[in-house]
Amino acid sequence: MGESKEQILVSRLLQKEEAAWKELFGAYSGNLSYVCSRYINEKEDVHDVLQNSFIKMFRSIESFEYRGDGSLRAWITRITVNESLKHIRRKGDFRSSVEVDDLPDLPNEEEPDFEEIPKDDIMRLIQSLPDGYRTVFNLYVFEKKSHKEIALLLGIAENSSASQFHRAKGLLVQKIKEFKMSKKAQYE
């Protein structure tokens, strides 16, 4: 059995072949921009984080261990998420943006209903969440991190992570209902 396209690309990346890095960027920059924009709203900041992510990949490719198809994508996504979190922490006092205890609890324990909502609109709704909520929501939902892992990553209490996630979810349910009502009103 021959090497996969991903294995061949990894071999070329390890040799620091410029064309391989351009190929990696061309193949994954769109997806990684999307990953960044789940955490960061400003386009310029997304661009900066993406650039820093590729620099980090270039500098640490020797530490990458190929573990089968998809392992390269997982590795570069993890780097991009980590660089996004680093940017958020560097931008300001992250803990204060997560510890928003003066907001009322949302009584909603419903699951967000994403049916019939275009992906771009879902993304905009998630991006409209307050920074702390959005970050915890993304780490829990998209990165499959536990509240304990999120707490360690962000330097917050574990119960604060769980609280932020539940509040984010409740707020998202509200935003989805408003979105659907506004769409329904457009067609009436």
Side-chain angles (χ1 to χ4, degrees), residues 26 39 54 69 75 77 84 98 103 109-110 115 121 130-131 141-142 162 167 169-170 172 181:
Y39 295 91
F54 275 97
D69 272 354
W75 183 72
T77 300
S84 297
V98 175
L103 287 174
E109 275 303 313
E110 297 176 52
E115 285 183 39
D121 290 323
D131 290 350
V141 172
F142 296 108
R167 289 179 180 183
K169 202 167 75 169
L172 202 50
M181 286 174 50

Side-chain angles (χ1 to χ4, degrees), residues 75-117:
W75 183 72
I76 64 177
T77 300
R78 190 170 55 251
I79 287 173
T80 304
V81 167
N82 288 338
E83 288 299 310
S84 297
L85 294 175
K86 197 184 301 182
H87 173 82
I88 289 168
R89 285 190 297 263
R90 211 177 16 240
K91 194 173 175 184
D93 183 5
F94 183 77
R95 276 182 231 167
S96 65
S97 73
V98 175
E99 307 274 355
V100 192
D101 292 328
D102 54 344
L103 287 174
D105 276 328
L106 297 165
N108 235 324
E109 275 303 313
E110 297 176 52
E111 286 297 314
D113 179 14
F114 293 117
E115 285 183 39
E116 301 169 19
I117 300 179

Side-chain angles (χ1 to χ4, degrees), residues 35-52:
V35 169
C36 280
S37 63
R38 285 198 317 244
Y39 295 91
I40 301 164
N41 285 333
E42 299 297 320
K43 277 189 189 244
E44 305 83 41
D45 291 342
V46 168
H47 176 75
D48 290 347
V49 168
L50 191 61
Q51 186 175 4
N52 289 342

Side-chain angles (χ1 to χ4, degrees), residues 5 7-8 21 30 33 38-40 49 54 57 89 102 111 144 152 159 164 177 186:
K5 280 177 76 174
Q7 273 179 299
I8 294 167
W21 286 98
S33 289
R38 285 198 317 244
Y39 295 91
I40 301 164
V49 168
F54 275 97
M57 290 170 212
R89 285 190 297 263
D102 54 344
E111 286 297 314
K144 309 278 190 247
L152 287 171
N159 62 350
Q164 296 302 309
K177 285 179 180 175
Q186 280 181 344

